[in-house]
Amino acid sequence: MSQPSRASPPLKSRLEELALFGGAPAFEEKLHVGRPNIGDRERLRERLEDILDRRWLTNDGPYVQEFEREIAQRLGVRQCVAMCNATVALEIAIRALELDGEVIVPSFTHVATAHALQWQAITPVFCDIAPGTHTIDASRVEAMITPRTTGILGVHVWGRPCDVEALSVIAERRRLKLLFDAAHAFGCSYRGRMLGNFGHAEVLSFHATKFCNAFEGGAVTTNDTALAEKMRLMRNFGFSDYDHVSYIGTNGKMSEISAAMGLTSLESLDALIATNLRNYRQYVRELRDVPGIVPIEYDERERANFQYVVVEVDERSTGVRRDEIQKILWAENVMARRYFYPGCHRMEPYRSYFPHAGLLLPDTESLVERVLALPTGTAVSPRDIDAVCQIIRLAVAESDALRRRMALCAAS
Ligand code: T4K
């Protein structure tokens, strides 16, 4: 796998050196949170030649079928239905499960989760998160159920599993469908079993920025074979045979080139996870003693892909706000991200539909002000991480002087 061959970024030790105050940016090029991991280029080229030779470019081609078999086998799940991306995969799973009316979903997620419901005129009912987990608070789900509720859509944010057991119990007792957005969670487990096996179905993403990418791609996994068959038809306009349509459908097909990239990524999976883990551990080590900067933890008993390095910024201890740290980092070309600010409920159309939703989402509203995702993946070197952490350390150590300078800059 390709490693960056850039010059080492400087380690800054004085406020004057920060780019925000006139210093040269630590990075000449933007350091992104999730640049695509590129696997074995030669294997990808070979597969591309195969595709061209076969002249079979999409529509359930041989590489798509191989990709589906590989995913299903790795997850120990009966069925994997590959799709063009996770958003369409969510939409198809939602329709195949016949969700309707209202579905309970966290607001702390990518807006794709809520949109996949609203796109089909289903109302997303936003539930708060359990603060330490960043995932939907199962103990608050029941209070959100109304006669119109047909399902629960949990999200395994950062690849850390939701409280699957509690949600399954509620779904069963209240006769609701249970779907998981596992866009972040390929390669992660819950109580030793791979995510992708739970609820009625789970949805994976293989987008370019995901640690295992297919350029664009997604999949629905399920142990329900009839449901999988229905989704296979739905992703192909509902065609069950030439000239015969069984369901309303769409075009959710994965192309052969995406499957080729997906298969190539899968061959590097262990190395990708090892790189993510190395990066995560370095961040944890280097930020351990910085007051108020708290990296999220991954349960050591579970399998994880470590594709996100996320810190919570506690302003009371850092003396500097999350947004100020982000501003400093962006000036250095470190494109740290505030995922999932400001929460789906504060994005359109939801903020207009439910202007008071935030009243029921205190932990989400607090979390969106604190999280910051930091660059990781194979495009980020240990020296890059050194430089990023040094900038954060400097900002916190000099927080008073920093804020004074920032205020002066804003005033001038
Ligand atoms: N559910 C959840 C919980 C999700 O997080 C997501 C997507 C979905 C559903 C929907 O999955 P898909 O339909 O996409 O399969 C990125 C991804 O685009 C998005 O897929 C992902 N979640 C989200 C967490 O991260 P952004 O807002 O960061 O923007 P984007 O894609 O421009 O990428 C970030 C940075 O990476 C860019 O600033 C530049 C760099 N980049 C990006 C691409 C695409 C590259 O260097 N090369 C590239 O090819 O959303």
Side-chain angles (χ1 to χ4, degrees):
M1 252 169 304
S2 52
Q3 282 291 332
S5 55
R6 289 174 275 110
S8 297
L11 294 179
K12 302 195 173 192
S13 55
R14 291 177 301 120
L15 287 183
E16 305 77 76
E17 291 168 337
L18 291 178
L20 198 64
F21 304 131
F27 294 87
E28 279 173 22
E29 286 177 23
K30 287 185 173 20
L31 190 71
H32 288 289
V33 160
R35 298 220 76 186
N37 296 318
I38 311 295
D40 183 334
R41 288 164 190 248
E42 206 36 56
R43 286 294 290 135
L44 181 63
R45 283 194 195 104
E46 285 166 19
R47 288 186 165 114
L48 175 59
E49 291 295 334
D50 282 350
I51 292 170
L52 299 178
D53 289 347
R54 274 200 290 260
R55 290 177 190 260
W56 196 274
L57 308 187
T58 183
N59 288 28
D60 208 18
Y63 278 143
V64 166
Q65 291 181 28
E66 187 184 340
F67 185 63
E68 290 181 336
R69 280 195 303 276
E70 268 291 319
I71 300 287
Q73 197 239 326
R74 282 166 187 262
L75 301 188
V77 67
R78 226 171 266 157
Q79 297 286 339
C80 169
V81 186
M83 308 263 185
C84 54
N85 58 55
T87 306
V88 169
L90 277 167
E91 287 167 11
I92 290 178
I94 286 164
R95 194 172 276 269
L97 285 169
E98 296 174 12
L99 296 179
D100 197 4
E102 296 175 358
V103 169
I104 298 168
V105 63
S107 170
F108 188 74
T109 179
H110 192 281
V111 76
T113 321
H115 280 353
L117 294 164
Q118 190 66 51
W119 194 254
Q120 307 183 68
I122 298 168
T123 304
V125 174
F126 295 118
C127 182
D128 214 352
I129 44 134
T133 69
H134 300 188
T135 58
I136 190 167
D137 185 349
S139 72
R140 286 187 256 193
V141 165
E142 268 197 296
M144 323 288 297
I145 297 175
T146 74
R148 296 187 68 229
T149 309
T150 56
I152 304 168
L153 173 42
V155 184
H156 304 305
V157 178
W158 321 133
R160 300 193 304 175
C162 300
D163 188 344
V164 171
E165 185 181 5
L167 293 172
S168 304
V169 168
I170 297 168
E172 195 161 327
R173 190 169 59 229
R174 305 298 294 263
R175 295 173 192 276
L176 300 174
K177 297 281 170 47
L178 180 59
L179 178 62
F180 289 107
D181 178 338
H184 302 178
F186 177 57
C188 305
S189 69
Y190 172 75
R191 297 191 181 165
R193 195 170 174 208
M194 298 310 280
L195 292 174
N197 276 279
F198 298 98
H200 291 88
E202 303 210 45
V203 173
L204 303 166
S205 173
F206 300 103
H207 180 258
T209 56
K210 298 294 181 290
F211 85 108
C212 175
N213 87 80
F215 297 137
E216 285 271 4
V220 188
T221 57
T222 180
N223 285 304
D224 180 338
T225 300
L227 179 68
E229 283 316 308
K230 191 173 176 184
M231 291 189 292
R232 281 184 204 288
L233 301 187
M234 285 181 157
R235 78 172 170 188
N236 186 27
F237 314 104
F239 277 110
S240 50
D241 202 349
Y242 288 120
D243 311 327
H244 190 264
V245 168
S246 307
Y247 297 106
I248 183 170
T250 185
N251 183 349
K253 290 168 283 157
M254 177 180 268
S255 72
E256 283 291 274
I257 187 66
S258 278
M261 184 63 170
L263 285 164
T264 307
S265 296
L266 285 179
E267 285 165 356
S268 302
L269 206 72
D270 291 343
L272 296 174
I273 293 178
T275 303
N276 286 348
L277 177 58
R278 183 202 68 196
N279 290 350
Y280 169 76
R281 285 192 172 143
Q282 187 183 347
Y283 274 114
V284 169
R285 223 173 28 247
E286 296 204 17
L287 296 174
R288 186 181 292 141
D289 298 329
V290 186
I293 302 286
V294 185
I296 60 161
E297 290 177 5
Y298 291 93
D299 186 338
E300 285 180 5
R301 294 163 300 180
E302 302 291 358
R303 291 177 67 171
N305 57 36
F306 302 97
Q307 74 178 308
Y308 292 100
V309 174
V310 175
V311 295
E312 283 190 37
V313 178
D314 178 1
E315 186 193 346
R316 287 164 307 179
S317 305
T318 54
V320 54
R321 282 200 307 274
R322 185 273 314 269
D323 288 359
E324 291 167 329
I325 293 178
Q326 190 198 32
K327 195 169 178 186
I328 290 160
L329 290 172
W330 278 35
E332 305 290 347
N333 276 332
V334 178
M335 308 310 286
R337 297 291 300 275
R338 306 185 293 181
Y339 295 137
F340 291 106
Y341 180 86
C344 294
H345 67 288
R346 280 159 63 188
M347 293 180 174
E348 292 296 356
Y350 315 108
R351 61 182 292 163
S352 297
Y353 290 169
F354 322 112
H356 306 298
L359 293 174
L360 290 175
L361 302 168
D363 290 316
T364 301
E365 296 232 309
S366 161
L367 184 65
V368 294
E369 299 297 332
R370 287 184 282 126
V371 277
L372 199 57
L374 300 173
T376 184
T378 50
V380 176
S381 72
R383 289 184 176 198
D384 294 339
I385 296 174
D386 262 349
V388 173
C389 291
Q390 176 60 19
I391 294 163
I392 296 174
R393 270 198 299 270
L394 175 62
V396 174
E398 304 282 337
S399 59
D400 287 344
L402 179 94
R403 291 186 99 166
R404 278 197 301 275
R405 282 186 94 126
M406 286 179 91
L408 273 176
C409 288
S412 61

